[in-house]
Amino acid sequence: MNPANRRSATVGTLVLLGIALVAVLLVSNLLLRGLRIDLTQNRLFTVSEGTREIVRGIDEPITLYYFFSDRVSADLPQGQPLRAYATRVRELLEELAGLSRGKLVLRVIDPLPFSEEEDRATSFGLTPVPVGRSGENLYFGLAGTNATDGQAAIPFFQMDKEAFLEYDLAKLVHELDQVRKPVVGLISALPMSGSFDPAMRTLPEPWVALSELRQLFDVRELTATGLSAIDPDIGVLLLVHPKELSDDTLYAIDQFVLRGGRLVVFVDPLSDADESGNDPQNPSAAMFANRSSDLARLFRAWGVEYDPGKVVLDARYAAQVSMQAGRPPVRHLAILALGQEALNDAEAITGVLSTVNVSAAGAIGLAEGSPLQLVPLIQSSGESALADAERLKFMPDPSGLFADFQPSGERHVLAGRLHGVFPTAFPERAGEGHLAESAEPGNVVVFADTDLLTDRLWVQVQNFLGQRLVNAFANNGDLFINTVDTLGGSSALIGVRGRATSARPFTTVEAIQRRAEERFRDTERQLQDELGETERRLNELQTRQEPGQALILSAEQRTELERFRSRQLEIRRELRQVRRQLDADIDRLGSWLKFINVWLLPVLLTLAVAGLVYWRRRRRREATAAAV
């Protein structure tokens, strides 16, 4: 073949390869669209069984309107991540529609400026975001309608909530599929719905946990005063921070449980949200006010042990808290960040959760002879102990809790499920409809903490263009909804909700920090002890001086003072060394993790491929030699 023909053949081959490449890309894009391999540990990108159950159980058709301003976002200088996330949302919606067997109809809409589609997006309550110099609106939300004109919407998909995407979609579909929401009763002594602030003359938003509950249930807030019976429509009753309930109200709750009603109780030895004693004219009144709650009469009848004067301290789960601006955070033995080891993975309520935060929680148990069983849901670690709740009231620096802390080695139940035949707490009462015990085994869930429901322990709330946006950093809200869901008989969302958090705590780093802080605290305690001893000796030397020489230091005092200052500097150097060692340990661990992820795995893969190629060539040569 002459050079001209060889050149023509080469060009032709390249053209054919180019055509083949384009064809392969088009076919793969058509046939393999949406196909992916999920290699994440928690299967974040795989539709969960709970979501499948929800979409396959749809009774009446549901139409979803997915609004994304595709053409408007194409001109955005930094719109690529947003468009990639929009594709992820659309693919997941298409997957859900495919699983629904035709009951979920998806409409994808690009609402152009000043179009009817834009008006429709606005009527659904979607949030427009002005972008660009021309001020065009960008829409990125979802609306849904059902056969009974029910309507629900996600105003705007937040990119930082991608881990919650499947849960948000499943919840919207579940909400549209329900003909009638289950009824939940709520008796609360805490301002969960927001209470009027006379100083600011504003009405705060309800707690996020309650807002989330209202989306899934028909929540009826009940007034404890004068309550003598629980409405039969109520399937689950929430009792939050019960204080000073009358016997008639307790009897109504007692008979509700015995009739088969599901009860969830939140008691607390020291509730931060309790506004008892708040008096602008007397600020110290709140400090001395009783902020504990109890359900003593019912607990006594059921054989439940709970001391409203005791809180659980735990060195294993102590959370880092900032007490003052500009000062480093400190670990608080009473504010606990409870990981998976503290949560019962065999129970539907807690089995799929990752982190729950509590503050000054109490402990519950069963007395000898109780007719019930107590199934722990949340437990402290073996590095825990009980302490007087009153100590926390008058201790501005939580480091003081470490002073005489001695772990008991016993794990305390912070929340549990009571199961069995419940006896009445009012055996002296009688009359029509009175029950002495429950006809069938029932369930009551008891939490020894109310603060876990407050926003500050699990969620960040932001105002974005007039919309209230929430971003959860713990599973407290999931725990609350899971409990009501499970007791109410609907648990399809539980499996989805547990996947909602993608937080992966650095347990090894946390262990290193704990060990280093223990060393730091021991050294600090030595410094404090030496400081106290030196001051005591200086005082003794001072008292030996003659009257009139109190302001003049003797040679012995000056020597003692210099020795103390020298020792103080020495120990401060030791403290800095401990802190530097802590940072060095964490940096060393980070370097190892970086090496493993960036270098070690690629090197191992390369060696494995090279070994495989060598092995195949060697077999081929051996086969050729055998054939000859």
Side-chain angles (χ1 to χ4, degrees):
M1 184 179 292
N2 57 46
N5 291 338
R6 193 181 301 117
R7 190 162 46 249
S8 299
T10 302
V11 172
T13 301
L14 292 175
V15 170
L16 289 176
L17 287 175
I19 294 173
L21 176 62
V22 172
V24 168
L25 291 176
L26 291 175
V27 171
S28 61
N29 187 51
L30 181 65
L31 299 180
L32 305 180
R33 184 176 182 179
L35 183 65
R36 65 179 70 88
I37 300 176
D38 187 358
L39 298 178
T40 58
Q41 183 181 10
N42 294 330
R43 297 287 179 187
L44 285 175
F45 300 100
T46 300
V47 175
S48 68
E49 191 57 39
T51 302
R52 293 173 186 270
E53 182 182 343
I54 290 171
V55 296
R56 286 172 178 169
I58 297 173
D59 292 327
E60 299 291 336
I62 292 175
T63 303
L64 298 180
Y65 302 90
Y66 174 50
F67 292 88
F68 177 64
S69 301
D70 188 50
R71 270 171 277 192
V72 171
S73 64
D75 298 329
L76 293 179
Q78 298 176 342
Q80 192 56 37
L82 182 72
R83 292 172 63 82
Y85 186 45
T87 302
R88 156 94 173 118
V89 175
R90 193 197 64 220
E91 289 179 348
L92 184 53
L93 287 170
E94 290 172 346
E95 194 167 355
L96 298 183
L99 292 171
S100 68
R101 302 187 181 99
K103 292 297 181 67
L104 205 58
V105 180
L106 178 63
R107 310 284 189 201
V108 180
I109 301 172
D110 181 3
L112 297 176
F114 308 108
S115 65
E116 293 182 0
E117 287 79 9
E118 183 178 30
D119 295 340
R120 195 171 193 185
T122 304
S123 67
F124 277 129
L126 269 61
T127 302
V129 177
V131 296
R133 295 181 178 177
S134 58
E136 294 176 331
N137 288 327
L138 183 145
Y139 291 87
F140 184 23
L142 181 72
T145 58
N146 58 20
T148 58
D149 296 330
Q151 184 174 309
I154 299 175
F156 196 91
F157 286 105
Q158 299 173 240
M159 293 181 61
D160 58 352
K161 286 190 65 181
E162 184 175 0
F164 296 78
L165 176 62
E166 184 184 340
Y167 170 69
D168 289 339
L169 298 181
K171 188 173 69 171
L172 183 138
V173 172
H174 179 69
E175 185 178 343
L176 291 170
D177 189 46
Q178 286 184 317
V179 178
R180 182 173 177 270
K181 293 181 179 179
V183 181
V184 173
L186 172 63
I187 301 175
S188 175
L190 301 180
M192 299 182 69
S193 299
S195 60
F196 180 71
D197 187 345
M200 303 297 294
R201 302 188 66 80
T202 57
L203 183 63
E205 296 281 349
W207 294 3
V208 174
L210 181 59
S211 300
E212 296 278 332
L213 189 72
R214 284 172 173 163
Q215 293 182 24
L216 298 172
F217 300 92
D218 178 7
V219 180
R220 298 181 186 175
E221 297 190 41
L222 309 176
T223 303
T225 305
L227 183 69
S228 58
I230 307 297
D231 195 319
D233 290 345
I234 294 175
V236 179
L237 177 64
L238 301 176
L239 188 58
V240 181
H241 205 48
K243 297 180 69 174
E244 301 175 355
L245 298 182
S246 67
D247 280 353
D248 286 342
T249 301
L250 290 172
Y251 180 67
I253 298 170
D254 173 271
Q255 293 298 297
F256 170 79
V257 173
L258 269 53
R259 288 200 311 269
R262 312 295 176 82
L263 177 66
V264 184
V265 183
F266 292 84
V267 291
D268 201 323
L270 185 63
S271 174
D272 292 337
D274 191 335
E275 298 179 341
S276 299
N278 280 359
D279 183 359
Q281 306 300 324
N282 185 13
S284 61
M287 184 177 296
F288 293 95
N290 179 19
R291 290 188 280 149
S292 67
S293 56
D294 195 357
L295 200 62
R297 181 157 186 170
L298 299 188
F299 282 171
R300 214 164 29 244
W302 300 341
V304 174
E305 291 185 332
Y306 161 74
D307 188 345
K310 298 289 186 183
V311 298
V312 176
L313 307 182
D314 195 325
R316 169 70 177 80
Y317 297 120
Q320 297 265 8
V321 297
S322 296
M323 302 303 294
Q324 293 181 6
R327 296 191 61 183
V330 296
R331 297 179 70 226
H332 200 307
L333 284 174
I335 299 179
L336 310 180
L338 301 152
Q340 287 182 322
E341 294 177 356
L343 308 175
N344 188 343
D345 59 3
E347 284 288 309
I349 294 174
T350 51
V352 292
L353 304 183
S354 300
T355 305
V356 172
N357 296 332
V358 301
S359 176
I364 56 177
L366 278 187
E368 188 176 353
S370 170
L372 306 176
Q373 295 177 338
L374 174 62
V375 180
L377 295 175
I378 305 175
Q379 287 182 284
S380 67
S381 74
E383 303 175 41
S384 61
L386 294 177
D388 291 335
E390 292 296 318
R391 285 186 61 192
L392 299 180
K393 283 186 177 180
F394 309 102
M395 184 171 288
D397 184 2
S399 301
L401 293 173
F402 285 95
D404 56 352
F405 175 70
Q406 290 293 334
S408 64
E410 178 187 357
R411 299 185 69 185
H412 299 280
V413 178
L414 311 182
R417 179 171 61 84
L418 300 171
H419 177 73
V421 176
F422 287 80
T424 181
F426 296 85
E428 74 282 5
R429 294 201 180 191
E432 186 179 357
H434 172 78
L435 296 175
E437 65 178 21
S438 56
E440 297 180 356
N443 289 286
V444 170
V445 175
V446 179
F447 292 88
D449 184 46
T450 60
D451 299 308
L452 67 89
L453 299 175
T454 59
D455 295 351
R456 71 181 182 91
L457 283 187
W458 70 278
V459 67
Q460 292 177 332
V461 182
Q462 296 176 322
N463 188 297
F464 181 71
L465 299 174
Q467 298 292 320
R468 191 187 188 202
L469 303 181
V470 299
N471 189 16
F473 53 84
N475 292 121
N476 293 31
D478 302 332
L479 174 69
F480 184 49
I481 303 295
N482 282 359
T483 304
V484 181
D485 260 351
T486 304
L487 293 186
S490 172
S491 58
L493 277 172
I494 291 178
V496 189
R497 188 174 302 110
R499 295 156 47 84
T501 178
S502 59
R504 300 286 302 279
F506 294 93
T507 54
T508 304
V509 174
E510 291 175 354
I512 292 175
Q513 284 181 315
R514 273 201 308 277
R515 288 197 296 270
E517 285 173 0
E518 287 172 1
R519 295 199 302 271
F520 185 87
R521 199 164 44 248
D522 290 343
T523 308
E524 187 180 39
R525 190 179 300 120
Q526 291 177 10
L527 173 63
Q528 295 295 336
D529 293 344
E530 288 195 25
L531 175 64
E533 177 64 19
T534 304
E535 289 177 344
R536 186 185 65 77
R537 294 182 61 186
L538 283 174
N539 288 333
E540 288 180 357
L541 293 173
Q542 190 72 23
T543 55
R544 295 177 193 167
Q545 289 186 327
E546 297 295 333
Q549 299 179 347
L551 299 178
I552 301 175
L553 294 179
S554 65
E556 188 180 6
Q557 286 175 319
R558 283 198 297 272
T559 303
E560 185 66 20
L561 187 59
E562 289 300 322
R563 191 205 65 80
F564 164 69
R565 286 174 178 170
S566 174
R567 179 56 185 154
Q568 189 181 40
L569 292 174
E570 181 182 346
I571 293 181
R572 283 180 178 175
R573 279 197 297 274
E574 292 176 6
L575 290 174
R576 286 196 296 273
Q577 181 62 31
V578 172
R579 178 60 63 183
R580 280 198 294 270
Q581 186 62 43
L582 167 65
D583 297 336
D585 289 345
I586 295 175
D587 290 342
R588 191 179 305 112
L589 177 64
S591 300
W592 267 107
L593 293 175
K594 190 181 296 182
F595 170 76
I596 291 173
N597 284 285
V598 176
W599 295 106
L600 184 60
L601 292 180
V603 168
L604 290 177
L605 285 174
T606 303
L607 292 176
V609 171
L612 178 63
V613 171
Y614 173 77
W615 177 75
R616 294 184 63 180
R617 286 183 177 177
R618 183 176 178 181
R619 287 200 60 184
R620 195 179 301 121
R621 283 198 300 269
E622 291 175 353
T624 303
V628 173

